[in-house]
């Protein structure tokens, strides 16, 4: 491992990387810049945090992944849906949303009521499991989860997930209806996102305490839906022999459980930059690769 070569690549390439951490066997072995003080937008990496919260509710028996999302949404919203739309949504389960396997949602919800907008989307061939990336599935999972646990979702995940990981004062977004957005909008420091990666790397255990079941973690990080990037779990991307957490503009946490390696960096790089991942693989993971094609999310 040549962490200094990775830093040289960042500096020579003038890549706008805010900070980076590398953990091996659960121990922080390298860091770059401020990783603990400043919080930055993590964009769609928020979805992975939502997935873990869903796993905790699943473990508690409050959420069943195979049930239709409509079973967990507020009645005042579902009762306003046309009968044909309600019938369509009966085939859309929580698991289908977690795996982005519903085709037809626009990229993000809009308007004065995100929930009303999401439930009015025309879904064609709802029974077919086709990978289609959108913020709406995550948003719907968040609303369903809030109703399943019977409390504000941010309060729930803060108590059950963030505080046990020593993640404090995160910035987060709510939708116009007042629900925790779930699909994006969180701000964390590099160190915070690393703790999410360490939890998943350890199969749901953090500092010797079980946070989420090994069963759920195995399902969440396994390929549940194939796509052109190599596979997708429950709001988690497949990566080589491990998996990864992604946010747009190069927010990344790569988790390789077999090597007990977690690599996290936050940045603001709007263009595709395969050279950055290539440097991570070559200098940190010891993988000789020709410019890898990263996933722009």
């Amino acid at each position: 491992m040549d962490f200094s070569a990775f830093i040289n690549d960042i500096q020579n390439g003038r890549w706008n990387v805010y900070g980076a951490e590398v953990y091996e066997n659960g121990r922080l072995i390298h860091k770059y810049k401020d990783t603990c003080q400043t919080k930055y937008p993590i964009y769609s990496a928020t979805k992975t945090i939502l997935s873990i919260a869903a796993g905790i509710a699943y473990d508690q028996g409050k959420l069943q992944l195979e049930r239709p999302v409509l079973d967990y949404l507020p009645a005042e919203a579902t009762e306003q849906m046309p009968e044909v739309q309600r019938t369509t949504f009966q085939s859309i389960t929580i698991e289908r949303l977690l795996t982005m396997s519903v085709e037809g949602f626009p990229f993000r919800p809009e308007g004065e009521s995100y929930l009303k907008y999401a439930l009015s989307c025309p879904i064609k061939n709802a029974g077919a499991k086709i990978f289609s990336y959108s913020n709406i599935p995550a948003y719907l999972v968040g609303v369903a989860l809030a109703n399943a646990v019977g409390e504000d979702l941010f309060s729930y995940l803060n108590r059950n997930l963030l505080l046990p990981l020593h993640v404090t004062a995160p910035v987060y977004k709510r939708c116009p209806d007042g629900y925790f957005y779930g699909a994006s909008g969180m701000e964390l420091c590099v160190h915070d996102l690393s703790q999410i990666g360490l939890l998943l790397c350890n199969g749901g255990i953090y500092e010797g305490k079980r946070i989420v079941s090994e069963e759920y973690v195995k399902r969440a990080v396994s390929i549940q839906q194939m796509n052109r990037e190599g596979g997708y779990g429950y709001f988690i991307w497949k990566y080589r022999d491990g998996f990864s957490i992604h946010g747009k503009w190069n927010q990344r946490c790569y988790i390789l459980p077999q090597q007990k390696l977690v690599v996290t960096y936050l940045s603001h790089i709007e263009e595709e930059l395969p050279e950055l991942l290539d440097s991570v693989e070559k200098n940190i993971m010891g993988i000789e690769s020709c410019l890898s094609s990263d996933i722009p999310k």
Side-chain angles (χ1 to χ4, degrees):
M1 186 180 298
D2 192 347
F3 190 72
S4 62
F6 171 59
I7 301 308
N8 287 337
D9 285 346
I10 291 175
Q11 295 172 343
N12 292 336
R14 297 185 178 180
W15 302 333
N16 191 20
V17 175
Y18 297 133
E21 289 187 340
V22 178
Y23 287 79
E24 192 170 44
N25 294 312
R27 184 173 63 88
L28 178 64
I29 60 171
H30 295 294
K31 64 177 292 186
Y32 169 65
K33 285 190 172 180
D34 165 33
T35 64
C36 295
Q37 299 301 317
T38 308
K39 299 184 185 298
Y40 302 100
I42 63 170
Y43 301 104
S44 286
T46 305
K47 294 179 176 70
T48 302
I49 295 172
L50 175 64
S51 173
I52 299 171
I56 295 171
Y58 167 79
D59 296 336
Q60 295 172 345
K62 297 179 179 179
L63 184 73
Q64 296 180 36
L65 305 184
E66 69 278 5
R67 284 181 62 180
V69 65
L70 290 188
D71 290 357
Y72 295 104
L73 297 181
E76 58 268 26
T78 60
E79 289 172 356
Q80 295 178 17
M81 299 171 67
E83 185 62 33
V84 173
Q85 191 74 343
R86 278 203 301 272
T87 300
T88 297
F89 268 77
Q90 281 298 325
S91 66
I92 301 176
T93 64
I94 297 295
E95 187 170 48
R96 290 279 307 283
L97 296 174
L98 285 167
T99 57
M100 297 286 183
S101 60
V102 180
E103 188 178 31
F105 287 122
F107 183 71
R108 61 174 61 88
E110 301 175 355
E112 296 181 357
S113 172
Y114 284 6
L115 184 55
K116 183 177 180 179
Y117 179 92
L119 294 179
S120 67
C121 293
I123 306 298
K124 297 180 181 179
N125 198 18
K129 295 182 179 181
I130 300 172
F131 185 78
S132 182
Y133 192 89
S134 164
N135 281 350
I136 292 178
Y139 170 68
L140 286 174
V141 168
V143 176
L145 185 53
N147 284 279
V149 301
E151 66 174 289
D152 177 75
L153 181 54
F154 180 77
S155 297
Y156 176 83
L157 72 87
N158 191 51
R159 184 179 69 255
N160 288 281
L161 175 61
L162 300 181
L163 288 178
L165 300 187
H166 311 300
V167 175
T168 58
V171 176
Y172 66 97
K173 176 182 177 181
R174 293 186 182 273
C175 76
D177 299 285
Y179 292 100
F180 172 74
Y181 183 41
S184 185
M186 288 193 76
E187 295 182 16
L188 299 177
C189 62
V190 176
H191 185 76
D192 292 339
L193 189 57
S194 290
Q195 307 318 296
I196 301 294
L198 288 169
L199 174 69
L200 294 174
C201 189
N202 292 328
I205 293 175
Y206 184 83
E207 294 183 343
K209 179 182 178 182
R210 170 69 64 186
I211 304 296
V212 61
S213 68
E214 184 178 21
E215 176 207 347
Y216 182 85
V217 172
K218 284 183 176 179
R219 292 172 67 171
V221 305
S222 299
I223 296 176
Q224 301 291 343
Q225 180 67 39
M226 284 303 301
N227 55 23
R228 65 179 177 84
E229 293 85 4
Y232 197 72
Y234 295 164
F235 299 152
I236 297 172
W237 297 90
K238 178 64 178 174
Y239 171 73
R240 294 189 178 272
D241 61 353
F243 46 92
S244 60
I245 302 170
H246 283 239
K248 74 174 183 178
W249 296 342
N250 286 278
Q251 324 311 319
R252 299 289 185 266
C253 182
Y254 294 102
I255 302 107
L256 300 175
Q258 293 184 23
Q259 294 93 320
K260 297 183 179 179
L261 189 66
V262 174
V263 182
T264 308
Y265 56 85
L266 299 181
S267 58
H268 187 96
I269 303 171
E270 297 186 22
E271 70 276 11
E272 293 186 39
L273 191 66
E275 294 87 352
L276 178 53
L277 177 56
D278 188 68
S279 181
V280 170
E281 292 186 329
K282 179 176 64 176
N283 296 309
I284 298 176
M285 300 176 183
I287 301 170
E288 289 296 334
S289 61
C290 54
L291 293 179
S292 308
S293 179
D294 204 358
I295 307 169
K297 287 288 175 290

